[in-house]
Amino acid sequence: MQLYPLKLVTVVGESVIMEDIAEEGMKLGATGFTMSEVSGHGSRSARNVASTTGAQTMKVEFVVPADIATSILTHVSHQYFEDYAVIAWLGDVQVVRGQQYVK
Amino acid sequence: MMVFAMAMLPVWAVITGEQASRILESLERNLLTPIPLCFVLGIICTRIHGGIKIPKELYYSIAIFLLMSIGFMGGHELAHEYEAHGVSTIWKPALATLFLGCLTPITSYLVLHYVGRLSIADSAGIAAHYGSTSAVTYAVANSFVEQTQHPANSFLPTLVTILECPGIAIALIVGATLSARERAAKAAASGRPAKESKLGEALYEVITGQSIMLMAGLLLIGFISTMFMDSKSFQPFYDFFQSKGMLFRGVLCIFLLEMGLVAGEKLGDLLKVGPFLIAFGILMPLAHGFVAAYLGHAAGLNLGGCTVFAAIVSSASYIAAPPAVRLTLPEANPTLSITAALAITFPFNIAFGIPIYYEMAKWVGAQ
């Protein structure tokens, strides 16, 4: 079985902006994303307000090549870090059927 | 309680002893009923770390039922009103609603920014909450006037739907326009391109949001089905949705219990928001409520109608407005607006506001 080395970009933040982040990640070259409702506490999480579905904090994950991972992180940090409760990180992953994640 | 009594001082100063005793009587009649008592139970439970927990899915299911019911019954009654009088009785209250929907965010903004010295974003964010309305406050006010044997005019749910959008839109447009200058200056100073505004997206989400889609959609469905169905086949739908029915009143108790649990959590934030916002959360609704009772009476609403109209105009949105404000005015502090709407104005209206609006409506001559 062949494994492909790719990057996992994880963004956790206020539910009101997460759908936008997923959409913008796709525009920047991701081929898909996973979104889930999560709970937790952080230094700015008091700022969270519930979205219409009631979720307060959400997580969106992208499996992408390194260059796209960098552009997603740059975009998220520029557009959202100053005003919203949001955190993003990058990890190395070994992916089965990894060729699907490269456009 | 002390803050409330102090904030009410100007109101107590202009009413006579007889009026005061009538208000107290109305308060008693309102407070000692299951709906506000369930709200109080929720607050007490949170404060003593009690074990009541309403599943989130149930809360959202009830919200859907309440919105559908308000819309459907509104459409049903609107059809009867239309058959009896055409649009002659409806257009004036509808116009008054639109006017107040545009006025309340502006008065709120001016008071918050110039009297309270809050920032542009915070003032506009809070004004968006107070410009819109709370459907649950409508439901509780409607139950109150039905208990007093003065049911409101049948088309009040139509007015709730009209009131939902313009207030949020105006406050957001004012806030976004004024704070865009600050943001552009900041971006120029830091040498980075300005961030894109999400005003259009937020306004679209308000207009196509759950509250409007369910209320306006069911209003249309109720109207059409009343016009075209025979009354026997219509009866089961009427029994399910009717606001005097046991289902509506019962689930409203569960909803208010959950609201009490949430408001109880927010009570701790009262210390953070300060005395100005506490006074604002009580006095602004009273001022808006009085203007609404007066205009409602001038537009031809009955006593129950004026009371409910005052309650919806004075109430603050806490479902549709918060995400829209968060998207458009991210620099506004949501603790201020949500605490004011949910922990000050909502409990005030449920417990004291509605009976006071009832007396105001009587005072302006509504019958």
Side-chain angles (χ1 to χ4, degrees):
Chain A
M1 184 177 64
Q2 192 186 351
L3 292 172
Y4 294 80
L6 287 162
K7 298 289 181 191
L8 174 68
V9 177
T10 308
V11 187
V12 176
E14 295 179 47
S15 53
V16 288
I17 52 166
M18 295 315 275
E19 273 186 27
D20 285 357
I21 290 180
E23 213 171 277
E24 287 151 9
M26 295 290 283
K27 277 187 196 153
L28 290 167
T31 57
F33 63 86
T34 305
M35 200 188 274
S36 46
E37 197 182 319
V38 293
S39 61
H41 184 76
S43 59
R44 297 172 79 182
S45 55
R47 296 212 145 206
N48 273 9
V49 297
S51 71
T52 44
T53 55
Q56 293 208 332
T57 308
M58 296 189 85
K59 176 166 82 170
V60 60
E61 292 165 304
F62 306 93
V63 174
V64 286
D67 55 332
I68 295 173
T70 311
S71 56
I72 292 174
L73 288 173
T74 310
H75 170 76
V76 169
S77 57
H78 166 61
Q79 183 75 21
Y80 298 103
F81 273 14
E82 193 181 337
D83 296 320
Y84 296 95
V86 58
I87 177 172
W89 62 86
L90 185 69
D92 292 317
V93 283
Q94 301 287 318
V95 182
V96 187
R97 297 206 295 181
Q99 70 275 25
Q100 292 195 356
Y101 296 95
V102 183
K103 265 184 184 171
Chain B
M1 209 56 204
M2 271 295 287
V3 177
F4 170 70
M6 282 168 66
M8 292 292 288
L9 272 179
V11 181
W12 298 133
V14 291
I15 54 177
T16 63
E18 192 204 340
Q19 282 167 329
S21 72
R22 275 218 322 260
I23 291 177
L24 285 176
E25 200 179 300
S26 295
L27 280 177
E28 192 182 295
R29 204 160 39 183
N30 177 49
L31 274 174
L32 304 179
T33 56
I35 296 168
L37 286 177
C38 279
F39 183 73
V40 174
L41 175 64
I43 293 181
I44 294 172
C45 185
T46 307
R47 300 316 294 173
I48 63 168
H49 301 287
I52 302 176
K53 193 165 170 59
I54 308 286
K56 203 166 68 183
E57 284 71 20
L58 178 66
Y59 172 75
Y60 283 98
S61 309
I62 291 175
I64 289 169
F65 172 76
L66 293 176
L67 291 168
M68 286 180 79
S69 170
I70 292 169
F72 188 82
M73 292 312 293
H76 171 64
E77 301 290 353
L78 191 65
H80 284 319
E81 186 79 22
Y82 182 73
E83 277 174 340
H85 308 284
V87 290
S88 62
T89 49
I90 306 166
W91 72 269
K92 276 188 198 165
L95 211 61
T97 310
L98 205 58
F99 172 71
L100 287 170
C102 300
L103 180 78
T104 53
I106 295 171
T107 49
S108 303
Y109 177 83
L110 293 175
V111 170
L112 289 159
H113 188 57
Y114 292 103
V115 183
R117 301 267 163 214
L118 294 181
S119 71
I120 290 172
D122 280 332
S123 305
I126 300 169
H129 289 66
Y130 281 81
S132 185
T133 186
S134 140
V136 178
T137 306
Y138 162 76
V140 178
N142 203 40
S143 297
F144 173 79
V145 293
E146 278 171 4
Q147 278 163 27
T148 59
Q149 310 302 327
H150 290 98
N153 305 68
S154 53
F155 47 80
L156 258 291
T158 318
L159 306 186
V160 181
T161 318
I162 297 175
L163 199 59
E164 183 92 16
C165 284
I168 301 185
I170 288 176
L172 290 186
I173 291 167
V174 168
T177 313
L178 294 176
S179 60
R181 278 187 231 152
E182 283 181 10
R183 243 180 283 169
K186 216 170 160 187
S190 65
R192 289 192 303 192
K195 290 172 210 160
E196 50 185 279
S197 165
K198 292 192 184 282
L199 177 64
E201 187 189 328
L203 289 182
Y204 181 79
E205 278 181 18
V206 169
I207 295 165
T208 58
Q210 174 167 285
S211 312
I212 287 290
M213 293 308 284
L214 283 177
M215 272 201 295
L218 267 287
L219 195 98
L220 203 62
I221 292 170
F223 186 87
I224 293 170
S225 50
T226 307
M227 292 295 228
F228 294 101
M229 273 173 94
D230 64 87
S231 57
K232 202 177 164 201
S233 353
F234 186 79
Q235 195 61 36
F237 300 101
Y238 181 85
D239 290 343
F240 182 71
F241 283 122
Q242 66 154 323
S243 59
K244 287 179 196 161
M246 64 173 192
L247 192 55
F248 190 91
R249 296 275 168 91
V251 296
L252 196 55
C253 285
I254 305 176
F255 197 86
L256 266 283
L257 184 58
E258 168 65 13
M259 294 285 301
L261 294 171
V262 178
E265 272 174 33
K266 303 276 174 206
L267 280 185
D269 289 337
L270 284 182
L271 290 175
K272 288 185 208 161
V273 302
F276 168 75
L277 212 53
I278 296 175
F280 174 86
I282 293 168
L283 294 177
M284 205 71 215
L286 283 176
H288 286 156
F290 182 75
V291 176
Y294 184 79
L295 282 183
H297 175 55
L301 294 181
N302 63 17
L303 175 57
C306 280
T307 308
V308 177
F309 189 54
I312 58 174
V313 169
S314 66
S315 69
S317 159
Y318 47 82
I319 294 177
V325 171
R326 197 77 194 99
L327 267 180
T328 318
L329 302 164
E331 59 273 50
N333 180 358
T335 304
L336 297 180
S337 46
I338 294 175
T339 306
L342 202 58
I344 304 169
T345 299
F346 182 75
F348 170 74
N349 272 340
I350 297 301
F352 308 104
I354 293 167
I356 294 173
Y357 305 137
Y358 178 69
E359 293 302 328
M360 280 178 179
K362 273 188 187 165
W363 191 77
V364 298
Q367 287 173 340

